[in-house]
Amino acid sequence: MLLQKPTTRRKFLLGSLLALPLSELVFKGITAAQAAEMAAPELADYKPIFFSDDEWQFILAATDRLIPAGGKGKALGALETNVPIFIDQQLHSEEFGSEIYMQGPFNTEAPATMGYQIPFRPQQIYQTSIRLINQWSQTTHQKAFHALTLEEKDAVLTWVNKNGIDFAALGEPNLKASQFFSQLLSDTKHGNPRGQILEGDDPFEGPRSEPYPLPALDDTLDNVMFKEAAKKLGYHPFPNPSACVSRAWKNPYGNQIAPCNYCGYCSKYPCLNYSKASPQTAVMDSLKRMPNFSYEVNAEVIKVVLNDDKKTAKEVNPDSMSMSFLLMGADFDLTKYVSTHNVGGAVMGDNPKTSALNKYLQSWDVHNVFVLGGNAFPQNFQANPTDTIGAITLMAAQAIKDQYLKNPGPLVQA
């Protein structure tokens, strides 16, 4: 039996998909990763909420063969990382697939450049395909797919991928076996979850232990055309990661994020659809519910008033607004920083004579002032600065939590 294999708890953000109120755990001092670890059930104990019993056995068997355990470095497989639970939870969501344009006519023989041409949502693709494959397996092997030998399962999945099982002959002319295989494979792997580069993945991506919480965005027409042209030239194109979600999703902080509608305006504008992984979308609503957090909008700090010790700040811009700074027992405050890749202004460095901030983005002169953002860069550079801004901000937040709050003062001695 598949479920007799030893399984471990998934550390991916499954907590946001289960009934456990993860956001409450986070606000009680438990990290998102710890909360997700607590929320993720054992596969052997899990009761599917979307799939029927027969469908569930198929999913267990198929995902186990797509990413089997015991590969290079004895990596975990799909069952050990609870991939079937992820798929079950994803399909159970009413929002999943609701953004797909479903107005006909549909041409199932159209090339990929014509866009989505299947009159089914993902849920229907799974249920219809599993039924037809099991029907074919019963006729051909006199047993359901999950009861086949490992070699037979691999052969069937290969046959499905090559449209060797004719869904039209089984009564469904609007769906191809290969279309189901692509959906299943995408939902199963989501990148490089165990150090094995699979076809179509980023060959430069480092190994990681778990799949992404959501599938990739659908390819647009220009992406499809470029991919096909590159393959004909012998190249191996792969998708770049996006900061926009592909499906409706509630993140581990409890914020509801809407699926991207491919409007194309995300580069230089806020996302009115709440699909972009910006602080306003992904974090701010949760922060606003915390009693020790406040922020000011449309703010530009032009004056800092010091306490009598001349080493800590008391407020900024006293003539136009009042903001309390980080003192023991005081509130946290955030001055909103908006950037269109404009950087500099309060740069970080290792010398207070040539920089305003130390490596923790802490003011050299006023130790309870931390300035987080692109201001820390001495100049712009080729790539978008978002990832680096996030990295140095996380490092600063960790230092504030682990060091500054316990012993307020300069974190780096000049």
Side-chain angles (χ1 to χ4, degrees):
M1 290 290 293
L2 291 169
L3 293 184
Q4 291 175 347
K5 290 188 175 186
T7 58
T8 60
R9 290 184 179 273
R10 275 183 67 74
K11 293 181 181 178
F12 79 95
L13 302 179
L14 197 115
S16 64
L17 302 173
L18 300 177
L20 184 67
L22 178 59
S23 57
E24 293 183 13
L25 291 174
V26 173
F27 292 144
K28 290 180 180 179
I30 302 174
T31 67
Q34 290 170 330
E37 175 77 9
M38 294 169 58
E42 298 289 354
L43 183 59
D45 300 329
Y46 180 77
K47 303 298 182 184
I49 57 177
F50 172 78
F51 291 113
S52 67
D53 290 342
D54 289 342
E55 292 167 346
W56 184 240
Q57 291 300 317
F58 178 97
I59 291 297
L60 292 172
T63 56
D64 181 49
R65 298 314 303 152
L66 291 175
I67 304 183
K72 185 178 180 181
K74 296 182 179 179
L76 301 177
L79 300 187
E80 286 74 16
T81 51
N82 279 3
V83 167
I85 298 178
F86 169 76
I87 296 175
D88 183 62
Q89 291 282 337
Q90 186 172 244
L91 294 174
H92 177 66
S93 170
E94 294 181 358
E95 291 84 7
F96 185 70
S98 62
E99 78 286 355
I100 298 175
Y101 184 75
M102 295 295 294
Q103 296 296 321
F106 298 98
N107 180 6
T108 57
E109 300 299 326
T113 53
M114 295 297 292
Y116 194 86
Q117 293 287 335
I118 306 173
F120 300 125
R121 300 198 188 280
Q123 292 88 337
Q124 297 167 296
I125 292 176
Y126 270 91
Q127 291 174 327
T128 301
S129 300
I130 292 173
R131 175 176 56 81
L132 295 178
I133 294 171
N134 271 334
Q135 178 183 329
W136 181 91
S137 182
Q138 286 284 4
T139 301
T140 306
H141 297 285
Q142 291 72 55
K143 60 183 73 172
F145 174 82
H146 74 269
L148 300 176
T149 66
L150 298 183
E151 293 76 13
E152 289 171 336
K153 291 174 185 174
D154 290 345
V156 170
L157 289 174
T158 300
W159 205 232
V160 170
N161 185 33
K162 295 181 177 180
N163 284 321
I165 299 179
D166 187 356
F167 280 7
L170 296 173
E172 183 47 72
N174 295 317
L175 182 64
K176 294 181 179 180
S178 60
Q179 293 169 328
F180 166 66
F181 183 86
S182 296
Q183 178 81 40
L184 176 63
L185 182 62
S186 174
D187 291 341
T188 299
K189 62 190 178 89
H190 290 313
N192 177 14
R194 61 186 195 93
Q196 178 182 353
I197 302 297
L198 301 176
E199 178 66 27
D201 286 345
D202 181 357
F204 305 106
E205 181 184 19
R208 50 193 177 79
S209 61
E210 56 205 42
Y212 291 114
L214 292 174
L217 290 168
D218 295 330
D219 283 334
T220 55
L221 175 59
D222 55 340
N223 286 343
V224 172
M225 295 175 68
F226 177 88
K227 180 168 61 177
E228 292 181 350
K231 285 183 175 180
K232 290 179 180 179
L233 294 174
Y235 294 105
H236 303 277
F238 59 89
N240 280 325
S242 170
C244 298
V245 297
S246 60
R247 304 288 187 269
W249 186 51
K250 181 177 289 187
N251 74 7
Y253 300 109
N255 292 328
Q256 185 66 48
I257 303 179
C260 175
N261 64 2
Y262 304 90
C263 71
Y265 286 96
C266 56
S267 179
K268 296 183 181 296
Y269 304 92
C271 180
L272 299 179
N273 200 47
Y274 272 64
S275 307
K276 187 177 178 181
S278 60
Q280 294 92 330
T281 298
V283 181
M284 191 63 72
D285 283 345
S286 296
L287 286 176
K288 288 191 293 187
R289 296 197 294 269
M290 300 179 70
N292 61 342
F293 177 86
S294 62
Y295 69 102
E296 298 285 345
V297 299
N298 301 318
E300 181 180 6
V301 178
I302 58 176
K303 184 176 182 180
V304 177
V305 179
L306 302 181
N307 286 304
D308 293 338
D309 61 10
K310 303 302 181 183
K311 297 180 180 180
T312 56
K314 178 170 62 176
E315 59 182 344
V316 298
N317 298 355
D319 298 331
S320 58
M321 66 182 69
S322 178
M323 298 172 62
S324 59
F325 266 84
L326 182 59
L327 298 172
M328 298 308 293
D331 288 349
F332 290 93
D333 291 301
L334 171 71
T335 297
K336 185 178 180 182
Y337 179 80
V338 178
S339 171
T340 53
H341 302 171
N342 297 321
V343 300
V347 303
M348 63 179 178
D350 58 4
N351 189 331
K353 294 181 179 180
T354 57
S355 59
L357 313 173
N358 62 30
K359 65 180 181 180
Y360 297 111
L361 308 184
Q362 179 188 39
S363 169
W364 287 108
D365 300 323
V366 185
H367 65 71
N368 67 331
V369 172
F370 292 79
V371 187
L372 316 178
N375 55 272
F377 301 143
Q379 70 277 322
N380 210 333
F381 45 97
Q382 183 272 331
N384 294 347
T386 306
D387 287 347
T388 308
I389 291 175
I392 60 177
T393 299
L394 285 173
M395 186 174 74
Q398 191 73 39
I400 292 172
K401 174 178 176 289
D402 294 342
Q403 301 177 52
Y404 187 84
L405 292 180
K406 296 175 182 178
N407 185 26
L411 296 176
V412 176
Q413 297 300 322

